[in-house]
Amino acid sequence: MKGDEPDLHEIDRYDSGVGWIAYPDEMMERASHAFAVENDERDADDVWVVDPVDAPGVDELLDELGDIAGVVVGLDRHVRDSGELATRHNAPVYVPEWMTGVAEELDPDVDVERFGARLADTGFEAIRIRDSSLPPWQEVGLFDGETLIVPESLGNASYFRGDRERLGVHPMLRLTPPTAALSGLDPERVLVGHGVGVHERAAVALEDALSGSRSKAAGLYAKTLKSALPF
């Protein structure tokens, strides 16, 4: 549930990127991310924003990195404030070529660009994590060899994590984790759409989350049920 007023809370700061949670008191802990890519033709770096939730101070935070080149929608349900941010910075919204339904949620004046196996010239590979109608779920991950961005299948909010997990598979995917898409990667950091990312021993946390998803499902569901009870 969203808090009454946004209050930008910075997370996941590293050399070329930063994240933020606009409503730090909300249960969902919706996280947004931005990363900078060198542009040899310009003095400023190109900044790419993923699944943004707007808040006072966001523009100043992004200005520290460079100029916004694009806003990326990583999950069909994560349009969030992508259109507003893109319009404000005169940038396109980037959507995977296979993802449907996103353009219809944006203002008709917003420029939409499609991308395939790689996100423009950022150096990030686009990983097709999930493209399913049952449940409806279209999600793309981004990975440049160091930073892995997973919008929804993995998270670090409390309702994602089972016992002693630093990173957890989404409760709806516990029995069908995205192992084929994400296993075997060796990221230095994993950034997620809900909660703070993992910056230490991230590859281990990733493999632990995937391999333990099914075995820890019952414990996670029990914890969630207990937290929902009124006593």
Side-chain angles (χ1 to χ4, degrees):
M1 183 176 180
K2 184 184 291 189
D4 291 334
E5 297 292 337
D7 182 16
L8 186 144
H9 175 60
E10 181 182 312
I11 60 171
D12 295 333
R13 171 76 71 168
Y14 58 103
D15 287 345
S16 58
V18 69
W20 70 93
I21 294 178
Y23 295 86
D25 295 328
E26 71 175 1
M27 183 191 74
M28 293 181 67
E29 296 182 43
R30 292 174 298 160
S32 312
H33 299 283
F35 58 86
V37 177
E38 290 185 8
N39 187 323
D40 295 334
E41 299 178 358
R42 299 169 55 246
D43 291 335
D45 289 344
D46 288 338
V47 178
W48 293 79
V49 186
V50 182
D51 293 350
V53 179
D54 208 358
V58 164
D59 291 339
E60 291 78 6
L61 184 67
L62 297 176
D63 284 345
E64 296 176 18
L65 297 178
D67 297 330
I68 294 180
V71 179
V72 184
V73 174
L75 179 77
D76 55 348
R77 303 188 300 274
H78 275 188
V79 175
R80 295 179 172 176
D81 298 318
S82 297
E84 291 85 343
L85 194 69
T87 298
R88 208 157 64 229
H89 290 269
N90 195 29
V93 172
Y94 281 74
V95 182
E97 58 189 10
W98 45 268
M99 187 179 286
T100 61
V102 171
E104 291 79 0
E105 295 190 40
L106 295 167
D107 188 286
D109 294 332
V110 174
D111 183 18
V112 176
E113 297 281 350
R114 295 286 182 169
F115 63 94
R118 303 185 77 81
L119 175 60
D121 57 356
T122 63
F124 275 80
E125 175 190 357
I127 303 171
R128 194 164 176 165
I129 296 176
R130 191 172 181 88
D131 185 8
S132 169
S133 57
L134 289 173
W137 195 307
Q138 299 173 86
E139 180 182 8
V140 65
L142 300 173
F143 184 50
D144 68 346
E146 295 181 357
T147 302
L148 173 63
I149 303 175
V150 181
E152 187 79 357
S153 289
L154 300 176
N156 199 17
S158 61
Y159 58 93
F160 274 83
R161 290 183 286 108
D163 184 38
R164 286 181 282 187
E165 286 184 317
R166 294 188 295 139
L167 192 64
V169 173
H170 191 287
M172 290 181 64
L173 302 183
R174 277 280 165 166
L175 302 182
T176 57
T179 304
L182 299 177
S183 184
L185 302 179
D186 188 24
E188 293 183 9
R189 64 190 64 86
V190 179
L191 310 180
V192 295
H194 296 274
V196 177
V198 175
H199 295 259
E200 296 183 1
R201 301 176 67 238
V204 174
L206 173 62
E207 291 301 326
D208 286 349
L210 296 172
S211 63
S213 177
R214 295 184 184 91
S215 63
K216 294 184 178 180
L220 176 64
Y221 296 150
K223 182 183 81 169
T224 303
L225 178 60
K226 183 178 179 180
S227 67
L229 293 176
F231 51 83

